[in-house]
């Protein structure tokens, strides 16, 4: 495991494995806004050559998940910064899509599905209490996407993942300030309880409130950071 938690992959695999690892790292918040991603570093962590890494990075740039670094293709990529207004727009889209996927999930959830999600929820609580923030973000992703996968709506799930790719790096930088808020209202537990009751609207409402209220709080944090940066620059 390297500095960003990327797992080594076999040399015979193609660029799509490198692409999947980078997407997973972005989704789990292992990169921060403005961070430079160097092709040589990523290739070293994954144990592969530069070519599949370059192809994977170029694909993420084409999807507007990453931005081209200085120096052309050889300069790697940069995780794009995100301003408060952009984050607010992403939150609006996430709330609509993810609550819909959660609604559909209620019709398909089995006892074993719910048991696995409950394990994720317990681990999330343990990680946040013990300040293992990277582990929390990864388990947080697994919990949410575990619900959305039950919806059996792959097109919507792909769209949700794209939105998370933009939001993931922001969560990394605001999580320390956000921890006290996490302990106030547990919408994750509410969503899981509703899922167990087959209460589709209850699951959807819990997920929507989780995203919207957290989004509002993080938006305020970003606004304060932006104001502080402007003051210091002035």
């Amino acid at each position: 495991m390297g500095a960003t938690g990327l797992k080594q992959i076999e040399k015979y695999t193609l660029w799509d494995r490198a692409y999947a690892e980078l997407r997973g790292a972005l989704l789990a918040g292992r990169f921060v806004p403005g961070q430079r991603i160097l092709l040589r570093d990523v290739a070293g962590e994954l144990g592969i050559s530069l070519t599949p890494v370059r192809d994977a990075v170029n694909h993420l740039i084409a999807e507007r998940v990453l931005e081209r670094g200085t120096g052309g293709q050889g300069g790697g990529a940069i995780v794009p910064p995100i301003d408060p207004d952009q984050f607010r727009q992403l939150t609006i889209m996430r709330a609509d899509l993810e609550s819909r996927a959660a609604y559909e999930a209620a019709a398909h959830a089995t006892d074993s599905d719910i048991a696995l999600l409950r394990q994720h929820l317990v681990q999330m609580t343990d990680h946040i209490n013990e300040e293992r923030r990277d582990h929390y973000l990864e388990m947080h992703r697994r919990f949410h996407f575990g619900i959305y996968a039950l919806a059996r709506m792959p097109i919507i799930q792909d769209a949700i993942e794209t939105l998370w790719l933009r939001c993931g790096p922001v969560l990394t930088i605001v999580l320390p300030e956000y921890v006290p808020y996490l302990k106030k209202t547990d919408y994750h537990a509410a969503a899981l309880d509703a899922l167990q009751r087959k209460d589709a609207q209850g699951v959807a409402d819990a997920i929507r409130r989780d995203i919207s209220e957290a989004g509002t709080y993080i938006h305020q944090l970003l606004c304060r950071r932006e104001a502080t940066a402007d003051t210091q620059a002035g």
Side-chain angles (χ1 to χ4, degrees):
M1 297 285 285
T4 54
L6 299 174
K7 298 177 183 178
Q8 284 203 353
I9 54 181
E10 299 297 328
K11 291 182 173 57
Y12 61 79
T13 56
L14 301 176
W15 74 270
D16 58 330
R17 291 292 304 277
Y19 173 76
E21 284 292 327
L22 283 168
R23 281 179 70 94
L26 287 161
L27 285 169
R30 297 194 191 115
F31 296 103
V32 299
Q35 182 174 346
R36 189 177 179 191
I37 298 177
L38 298 177
L39 303 182
R40 185 178 295 104
D41 291 348
V42 173
E45 287 190 49
L46 297 177
I48 59 176
S49 67
L50 286 173
T51 299
V53 174
R54 183 180 294 110
D55 291 344
V57 166
N58 285 338
H59 199 78
L60 289 165
I61 290 170
E63 293 179 324
R64 301 178 66 184
V65 172
L66 298 177
E67 294 178 350
R68 179 77 64 196
T70 57
Q73 290 195 2
I78 295 173
V79 180
I82 183 169
D83 63 39
D85 183 63
Q86 289 172 330
F87 185 80
R88 178 176 175 273
Q89 292 180 55
L90 291 169
T91 299
I92 291 170
M93 290 188 287
R94 281 191 56 205
D96 286 346
L97 283 177
E98 293 177 44
S99 61
R100 181 65 196 189
Y103 183 96
E104 298 292 334
H108 307 291
T110 65
D111 290 342
S112 60
D113 293 328
I114 293 167
L116 179 60
L117 289 168
R118 200 167 294 281
Q119 289 178 18
H120 293 340
L121 188 57
V122 169
Q123 290 176 295
M124 285 165 61
T125 302
D126 290 343
H127 291 326
I128 208 65
N129 287 338
E130 297 171 15
E131 297 188 1
R132 296 196 298 262
R133 297 185 181 108
D134 289 349
H135 297 288
Y136 170 81
L137 288 173
E138 171 61 22
M139 200 54 58
H140 176 257
R141 179 187 67 83
R142 291 188 190 184
F143 178 84
H144 276 268
F145 279 91
I147 293 176
Y148 308 148
L150 298 176
R152 303 178 186 177
M153 302 177 80
I155 295 174
I156 288 180
Q157 187 169 339
D158 285 346
I160 291 170
E161 186 170 298
T162 298
L163 295 174
W164 273 61
L165 286 167
R166 299 287 300 277
C167 293
V170 175
L171 297 180
T172 302
I173 61 172
V174 302
L175 188 58
E177 299 168 77
Y178 182 55
V179 167
Y181 181 86
L182 278 171
K183 298 179 180 180
K184 288 183 179 179
T185 305
D186 194 349
Y187 290 118
H188 296 123
L192 190 54
D193 290 344
L195 194 65
Q196 191 160 27
R197 298 193 306 270
K198 301 289 186 183
D199 177 5
Q201 192 58 54
V203 186
D205 289 345
I207 291 296
R208 178 177 288 278
R209 293 190 68 182
D210 174 50
I211 295 165
S212 297
E213 292 188 17
T216 298
Y217 187 85
I218 293 171
H219 178 261
Q220 292 170 350
L221 291 178
L222 292 174
C223 286
R224 288 200 295 270
R225 284 172 172 262
E226 187 174 70
T228 299
D230 289 344
T231 300
Q232 292 174 343

